[in-house]
Amino acid sequence: MDLIGKPININSLAEYQEGSVVSTEIIKKEVGTVTIFAFDKGQGLSEHSAPFDALVQIVDGVGEITIDGNKNIVKKGEFIIMPANIPHALFANEPFKMMLIMIRSEK
């Protein structure tokens, strides 16, 4: 998929699929990644941590993002930063799409 230098509707990059989490990595570099996710209702990512900060922007719907045991409701147009080495989880009480930006740097 050639996305360079073209306007793209972000919601078209990952379509909802019943009972699934769909992801499309749109940038993959040594220094970081950008991935679009589509979560069907009832789907999620179990608690885990990552060695780097990550920014999640909701591009459709509403996501439940738990960071260090604190639940956050993040709506379309909002973002949240998940800090490095802190447990986090994501859950879809309703279908939602998000963009995950991971920068692999400690500085």
Side-chain angles (χ1 to χ4, degrees), residues 3-103:
L3 304 175
I4 304 299
K6 300 175 184 175
I8 304 292
N9 180 330
I10 196 167
N11 281 304
S12 70
L13 295 175
E15 297 296 330
Y16 294 115
Q17 291 185 15
E18 186 175 342
S20 297
V21 176
V22 176
S23 67
T24 302
E25 192 170 59
I26 58 174
I27 296 176
K28 182 177 183 178
K29 303 285 184 180
E30 187 175 320
V31 296
T33 59
V34 177
T35 308
I36 309 302
F37 287 85
F39 292 81
D40 192 25
K41 181 178 181 176
Q43 300 301 305
L45 298 177
S46 60
E47 188 174 72
H48 62 283
S49 62
F52 307 106
D53 291 342
L55 183 144
V56 169
Q57 180 177 357
I58 304 300
V59 297
D60 187 47
V62 177
E64 179 183 291
I65 301 176
T66 303
I67 301 172
D68 202 20
N70 298 310
K71 285 187 182 179
N72 300 278
I73 301 302
V74 188
K75 301 173 186 172
K76 179 180 176 180
E78 296 180 334
F79 72 87
I80 192 165
I81 296 172
M82 300 182 301
N85 303 310
I86 302 295
H88 56 270
L90 298 93
F91 186 74
N93 290 309
E94 63 180 72
F96 79 93
K97 293 182 183 182
M98 68 178 218
M99 177 170 49
L100 173 69
I101 302 170
M102 174 89 65
I103 306 297

